[in-house]
Amino acid sequence: MPDVPAARSGLVLRKMVLSDLPDVVRIENRSFSTPWQEATFRGLLRRRSAALLAAEDAGRLVGYAVLWFAANEAELGDIAVLPEARRRGLGRWILEGALRAARDRGAEEVYLEVREANVEARRLYEKAGFETIGTRPSYYSSPVEDAILMRRRFEPPESDALPVPGR
């Protein structure tokens, strides 16, 4: 997992489990105008093509990330930090852990959608190497707003293989 923000001990990023769902849903409801329901998280926990990460600070759930996978691509479907735990680097730390999990599962690129007006999140994603590749008009509701589609490509791993002669 990524470095702990500001060298704080007590932070752990781990696989989400069913018993995390009450806290996850509480954070989700406080973070988004159209939050996911508990049933959505419950269903994703059963999918082998999904990875759900839970961030704990001294045993208290403070954030999470949700990814799903198809072929060599991943999508960051959801990421959130408890409102009173924000502005301490936890979002960046969780995002880095999610990106590492995606790469570990063989993803060559990660996609996400973010509200056009969510400048802070867009800045976080750009700092993490995401680039804007398009717009999804009226993607969000409550309020209706465009989504910015972003992508992060991973560099190919270093290889000890010798180059093929003649290429």
Side-chain angles (χ1 to χ4, degrees):
M1 290 295 143
D3 294 332
V4 175
R8 287 179 39 208
S9 63
L11 286 175
V12 176
L13 191 60
R14 59 169 174 74
K15 286 178 69 173
M16 189 184 294
V17 295
L18 276 174
S19 61
D20 293 324
L21 292 186
D23 290 329
V24 167
V25 170
R26 203 167 7 265
I27 295 169
E28 178 80 4
N29 287 333
R30 294 182 64 197
S31 299
F32 302 106
S33 61
T34 51
W36 289 4
Q37 301 300 308
E38 181 176 333
T40 302
F41 290 101
R42 190 176 295 276
L44 286 165
L45 280 170
R46 288 191 294 264
R47 284 182 45 189
R48 291 167 46 117
S49 62
L52 290 80
L53 304 174
E56 289 184 348
D57 187 358
R60 178 179 181 218
L61 197 125
V62 294
Y64 56 88
V66 177
L67 296 150
W68 48 80
F69 302 87
N72 62 348
E73 297 177 358
E75 182 169 344
L76 180 65
D78 199 359
I79 184 169
V81 173
L82 186 68
E84 55 268 24
R86 292 178 185 161
R87 316 239 15 109
R88 293 191 245 159
L90 291 172
R92 178 185 54 80
W93 179 69
I94 294 167
L95 177 60
E96 288 172 2
L99 291 173
R100 181 166 294 160
R103 188 168 193 158
D104 288 350
R105 292 236 341 218
E108 295 175 8
E109 48 195 11
V110 178
Y111 292 87
L112 61 83
E113 288 99 4
V114 60
R115 280 185 182 272
E116 186 173 38
N118 193 344
V119 176
E120 191 172 325
R122 289 172 57 191
R123 192 171 313 142
L124 170 70
Y125 299 138
E126 288 168 357
K127 286 181 181 178
F130 283 85
E131 61 181 335
T132 298
I133 59 170
T135 303
R136 297 191 194 281
S138 304
Y139 181 81
Y140 291 104
S141 60
S142 299
V144 173
E145 187 173 353
D146 293 351
I148 303 300
L149 179 60
M150 301 183 86
R151 176 184 59 209
R152 158 80 190 267
R153 288 187 169 152
F154 294 119
E155 296 295 320
E158 297 286 325
S159 173
D160 292 334
L162 296 172
V164 176
R167 288 192 182 170

